[in-house]
């Protein structure tokens, strides 16, 4: 099936801006409105724009689901580390003044959340596409 020339042109023009905006939302989510969930949804939209204009539409859904499980495991580990680090930050005056380490941790946490949301939404949309292709 051939894609529309209008869809292809607009997607190619907007794709870099969508990705840049998603990365911006993720990077500054701890100091402004936004964060991992919103940035992940924007990156999913950018991926879908690329998916619909690309010629090769073969996606292995099992690999995406496995990757999502790994990201969920990383998110659980990061959650435990954040709970454990609160005692270190509050009892150690040297680390308590270190806002840089806290900001890096929050950006890393936002990146993990964004990747999890992005992969999860891609899996959902891809399963809908596969279901439609099966002739439902």
């Amino acid at each position: 099936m051939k894609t529309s020339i209008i869809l292809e042109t607009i997607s190619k023009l907007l794709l870099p801006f969508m990705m840049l905006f998603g990365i911006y939302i993720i990077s500054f989510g701890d100091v402004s409105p936004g964060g991992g969930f919103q940035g992940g949804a924007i990156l999913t939209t950018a991926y879908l724009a690329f998916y619909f204009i690309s010629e090769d539409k073969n996606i292995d859904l099992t690999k995406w689901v496995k990757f999502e499980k790994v990201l969920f495991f990383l998110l659980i580990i990061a959650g435990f580390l954040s709970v454990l680090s609160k005692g270190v930050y509050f009892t150690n005056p040297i680390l308590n003044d270190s806002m840089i380490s806290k900001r890096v941790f929050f950006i890393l946490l936002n990146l993990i959340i964004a990747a999890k949301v992005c992969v999860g939404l891609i899996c959902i949309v891809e399963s809908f596409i596969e279901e439609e292709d099966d002739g439902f």
Side-chain angles (χ1 to χ4, degrees):
M1 183 164 97
K2 182 141 173 50
T3 59
S4 167
I5 190 73
I6 297 171
L7 175 67
E8 190 173 332
T9 305
I10 296 297
S11 295
K12 285 181 181 178
L13 285 174
L14 290 179
L15 188 63
F17 296 110
M18 291 168 63
M19 293 182 68
L20 186 65
F21 185 61
I23 292 170
Y24 170 79
I25 293 292
I26 294 166
S27 299
F28 292 101
D30 60 322
V31 293
S32 66
F37 186 84
Q38 293 86 348
I42 293 169
L43 290 179
T44 302
T45 308
Y47 173 80
L48 289 176
F50 178 74
Y51 174 81
F52 286 124
I53 65 171
S54 70
E55 297 290 327
D56 184 29
K57 297 193 186 312
N58 294 331
I59 294 178
D60 189 12
L61 191 58
T62 57
K63 288 182 183 178
W64 282 100
V65 171
K66 287 179 184 176
F67 185 56
E68 185 184 17
K69 290 178 183 179
V70 168
L71 289 170
F72 182 70
F73 184 69
L74 284 175
L75 190 60
I76 296 294
I77 290 173
F80 282 130
L81 287 177
S82 68
V83 169
L84 294 176
S85 68
K86 290 296 181 187
V88 174
Y89 283 132
F90 290 133
T91 58
N92 192 343
I94 296 171
L95 288 178
N96 198 13
D97 293 334
S98 174
M99 290 300 292
I100 294 173
S101 64
K102 290 180 186 179
R103 177 130 202 260
V104 168
F105 180 74
F106 286 133
I107 290 173
L108 183 65
L109 196 60
N110 274 335
L111 282 172
I112 294 171
I113 292 169
K116 171 81 171 87
V117 167
C118 187
V119 171
L121 289 175
I122 288 171
C123 288
I124 289 170
V125 171
E126 181 59 32
S127 66
F128 284 152
I129 291 171
E130 282 184 4
E131 195 68 32
E132 182 182 337
D133 289 342
D134 289 341
F136 178 58

